[in-house]
C-alpha cells in the first residue's frame, strides 16, 4: 500500500495526517473521520434500540444481535464518501458528510443481512448470520413452528429496520444544505439503492440457470458492486460538497474501474480466500452457484471433463471440501484465475490514472490512491 506523507493545510485547525491503515485524515490527535462514523452509527442505533427495548424485553435479543455486528468492517464505502466530499471541498471538512457516510454503511449492513438470507450463509465476519442465530436459538429452546422460517423472518425485519434507519441518517446529513443540493443528494441516494437492488436481482437470477450469461455477469459486476461500492459513495460525498460535473464524472470513472476490480477480488476471495481472514467459508460461493466473471472464464476455456466438474459442483448445496478443491483446480487450470488477476491489474491502473489527473487537492489524491489500492489488493 502506498504510504502517504504528512502535509499541512492552513484551512484546518490541526495538521492533516493520513493514517496509512485507514487512508483517512486525522480530525485531532485521537480521532479520525472513520471513528466519527463509528460514533454516529453507534449513537444512532442506541437511540432506536431504546425504543425497541421500551416496547418490551422480547426485543432485546434482536437489538443485541445488531449491536454485536454493526461495528467494524472495512468501511471502504464510508471512506470513499468522506474523501469524495473533501476532494470537492478542496480538502476542507463538509458538514453532514459523516452522517451521509454512516447512512451508506447502515444501508450496507442491512443489505448484508438480507443477502445472507438469500444465500443461506452461515457466517458473516466470523459470527453467525442473523437468520442462522435466531433459527438456532429457536431450535435450542424448543419454540413452536419452523426454526428456519423464524430465523428468516427476524433477519428480514432486522434488515428492514436498518434500511429505514439509514434513510433517517441521510435526512440528517442534508438537513442544513440548500434545496438544490438536498435534492441532488437524495436523487443519487435513490439511484444507488435501486441499482444495488437490481444488481442483486440479476445475481440471484443467474444462480437459477445452468450457464453463465457474460452480459449479465458484467451488469452484476457494475451495478451490484462497482457503482454501489465506490462510484456512488464518491458521488454522494461530492454532491453534498457541491462538486462540479467534471469532478463527478471523474468519480464515476474511478468507481467503475476500482469498483469492478474490488468485486473481482471479492470473487477470487470467495473461492480461494482464507476463512480465518475473510470470516466466511470459501466454499459458499461455489455452493450458491455464483455466476461470476471467474466462473464465466473457466467455463469458456474448460475441457469437456472440466465442464462436467463445473456442472456438478457449481450450485451444488451438498458440495464437500473435495468437490470445492476440484473446482479450484479447474479455475486455475483453465487460466481463469490468471485472467481475472490480470484484469484487476488493468482496472486498478485505469482507476489510479484518473485519480492522478483529478482536480482534487494532493492530500485527497493520496487518500484515494491508498483506498483504491486497498480495494484491489485486500485479503478479506
Amino acid at each position: 500500500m502506498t504510504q502517504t506523507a504528512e502535509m499541512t493545510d492552513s484551512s484546518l485547525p490541526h495538521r492533516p495526517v493520513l493514517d496509512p491503515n485507514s487512508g483517512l485524515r486525522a480530525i485531532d490527535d485521537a480521532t479520525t473521520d472513520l471513528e466519527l462514523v463509528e460514533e454516529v452509527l453507534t449513537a444512532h442505533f442506541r437511540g432506536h434500540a431504546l425504543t425497541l427495548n421500551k416496547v418490551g424485553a422480547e426485543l432485546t435479543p434482536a437489538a443485541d444481535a445488531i449491536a454485536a455486528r454493526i461495528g467494524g468492517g472495512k468501511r471502504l464505502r464510508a471512506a470513499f464518501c468522506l474523501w469524495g466530499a473533501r476532494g470537492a471541498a478542496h480538502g476542507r471538512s463538509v458538514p453532514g458528510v459523516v452522517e451521509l457516510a454512516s447512512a451508506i454503511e447502515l444501508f450496507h449492513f442491512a443489505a448484508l443481512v438480507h443477502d445472507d438470507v438469500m444465500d443461506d450463509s452461515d457466517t458473516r465476519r466470523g459470527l453467525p448470520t442473523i437468520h442462522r442465530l435466531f433459527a438456532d436459538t429457536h431450535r435450542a429452546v424448543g419454540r413452536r413452528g419452523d426454526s428456519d422460517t423464524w430465523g428468516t423472518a427476524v433477519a428480514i425485519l432486522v434488515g428492514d429496520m436498518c434500511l429505514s434507519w439509514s434513510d433517517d441518517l441521510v435526512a440528517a446529513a442534508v438537513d442544513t444544505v440548500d434545496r438544490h443540493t438536498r435534492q441532488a443528494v437524495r436523487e443519487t441516494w435513490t439511484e444507488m439503492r435501486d441499482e444495488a437492488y437490481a444488481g442483486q436481482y440479476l445475481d440471484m437470477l443467474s444462480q437459477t440457470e445452468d450457464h453463465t450469461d457474460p452480459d449479465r455477469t458484467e451488469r452484476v459486476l457494475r451495478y451490484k458492486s462497482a457503482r454501489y461500492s465506490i462510484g456512488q459513495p464518491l458521488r454522494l460525498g461530492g454532491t453534498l460538497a457541491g462538486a462540479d460535473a467534471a469532478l463527478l464524472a471523474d468519480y464515476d470513472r474511478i468507481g467503475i474501474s476500482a469498483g469492478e476490480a474490488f468485486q473481482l477480488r471479492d470473487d477470487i476471495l470467495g473461492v480461494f480466500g482464507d476463512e480465518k481472514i475473510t470470516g466466511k467459508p470459501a466454499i459458499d460461493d461455489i455452493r450458491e452457484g455464483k455466476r461470476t466473471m471467474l466462473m464465466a472464464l473457466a467455463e469458456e476455456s474448460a475441457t469437456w471433463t472440466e465442464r462436467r466438474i463445473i456442472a456438478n459442483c457449481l450450485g451444488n448445496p451438498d458440495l464437500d471440501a473435495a468437490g470445492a478443491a476440484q473446482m479450484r483446480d479447474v479455475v486455475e487450470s483453465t487460466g481463469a484465475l490468471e485472467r481475472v488477476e490480470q484484469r484487476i491489474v488493468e482496472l486498478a491502473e485505469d482507476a489510479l490514472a484518473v485519480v492522478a489527473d483529478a482536480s482534487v487537492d494532493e492530500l485527497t489524491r493520496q487518500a484515494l490512491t491508498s483506498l483504491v489500492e486497498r480495494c484491489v489488493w485486500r485479503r478479506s
Side-chain angles (χ1 to χ4, degrees):
M1 181 179 298
T2 300
Q3 297 297 312
T4 52
E6 183 177 315
M7 303 180 64
T8 59
D9 185 341
S10 58
S11 67
L12 293 170
H14 302 281
R15 289 188 306 169
V17 179
L18 283 178
D19 176 348
N21 294 315
S22 69
L24 289 169
R25 179 197 308 270
I27 299 298
D28 55 33
D29 292 340
T31 308
T32 66
D33 286 0
L34 277 187
E35 288 172 330
L36 291 179
V37 168
E38 295 294 340
E39 290 178 11
V40 167
L41 279 172
T42 299
H44 190 62
F45 165 68
R46 282 176 178 169
H48 288 289
L50 286 174
T51 300
L52 296 180
N53 290 325
K54 184 171 63 177
V55 171
E58 299 93 334
L59 277 297
T60 299
D64 288 347
I66 298 172
R69 291 161 176 77
I70 201 170
K74 290 181 284 292
R75 299 298 190 225
L76 286 171
R77 294 166 184 81
F80 277 110
C81 179
L82 293 166
W83 281 108
R86 285 189 183 268
H90 308 291
R92 295 189 298 273
S93 297
V94 177
V97 72
V98 171
E99 287 77 11
L100 189 57
S102 301
I104 296 171
E105 290 296 333
L106 193 49
F107 175 86
H108 184 58
F109 175 77
L112 292 180
V113 172
H114 284 166
D115 189 58
D116 287 337
V117 172
M118 297 175 204
D119 291 342
D120 196 27
S121 298
D122 293 328
T123 60
R124 168 75 65 177
R125 296 173 183 169
L127 293 174
T129 52
I130 294 288
H131 69 281
R132 190 68 68 221
L133 171 68
F134 281 88
D136 290 346
T137 302
H138 182 283
R139 192 173 293 109
V141 300
R143 294 186 182 278
R144 294 182 60 185
D146 182 74
S147 297
D148 291 333
T149 300
W150 166 248
T152 296
V154 174
I156 291 171
L157 283 172
V158 166
D160 287 350
M161 285 191 293
C162 292
L163 285 173
S164 63
W165 298 343
S166 70
D167 272 348
D168 293 342
L169 280 171
V170 175
V174 300
D175 186 49
T176 61
V177 301
D178 62 87
R179 182 176 61 84
H180 174 76
T181 302
R182 182 165 56 250
Q183 181 177 348
V185 170
R186 291 296 319 194
E187 287 176 353
T188 303
W189 176 258
T190 298
E191 183 179 59
M192 180 197 76
R193 292 183 308 182
D194 290 349
E195 288 181 352
Y197 297 149
Q200 176 70 2
Y201 178 87
L202 293 178
D203 190 24
M204 293 189 302
L205 180 63
S206 295
Q207 294 175 45
T208 69
E209 298 173 343
D210 293 331
H211 301 286
T212 302
D213 180 338
D215 172 68
R216 186 185 298 151
T217 299
E218 286 279 0
R219 283 183 286 148
V220 171
L221 190 62
R222 174 160 298 197
Y223 293 110
K224 184 183 176 182
S225 183
R227 284 175 59 81
Y228 165 60
S229 298
I230 298 177
Q232 296 289 29
L234 275 171
R235 176 174 275 271
L236 279 165
T239 300
L240 183 67
D244 60 29
L247 182 57
L248 290 177
D250 282 343
Y251 283 171
D252 287 340
R253 291 168 62 199
I254 294 166
I256 291 298
S257 295
E260 289 190 4
F262 174 88
Q263 184 57 49
L264 291 175
R265 175 63 60 201
D266 205 56
D267 294 342
I268 291 175
L269 292 173
V271 178
F272 294 94
D274 184 342
E275 181 179 347
K276 294 178 181 177
I277 299 175
T278 64
K280 187 176 181 179
I283 200 172
D284 280 4
D285 281 7
I286 305 173
R287 282 177 174 167
E288 293 158 17
K290 294 285 186 181
R291 297 282 172 179
T292 64
M293 186 64 65
L294 196 66
M295 295 304 165
L297 293 175
E299 286 182 347
E300 180 183 283
S301 302
T303 64
W304 183 87
T305 300
E306 290 169 333
R307 285 180 181 274
R308 291 294 300 168
I309 292 173
I310 294 172
N312 291 334
C313 295
L314 193 60
N316 178 1
D318 299 319
L319 186 72
D320 58 16
Q326 279 190 308
M327 271 296 300
R328 294 187 190 101
D329 288 342
V330 168
V331 171
E332 289 191 85
S333 64
T334 56
L337 177 60
E338 183 179 357
R339 291 171 67 185
V340 171
E341 287 285 8
Q342 181 57 40
R343 181 58 180 156
I344 289 173
V345 172
E346 294 168 356
L347 289 166
E349 290 174 348
D350 290 345
L352 292 172
V354 179
V355 171
D357 292 336
S359 57
V360 296
D361 62 282
E362 189 58 29
L363 194 61
T364 298
R365 195 182 323 282
Q366 292 179 17
L368 291 177
T369 298
S370 176
L371 286 168
V372 168
E373 290 175 346
R374 286 181 62 200
C375 289
V376 172
W377 309 121
R378 63 198 170 91
R379 297 177 63 201
S380 66

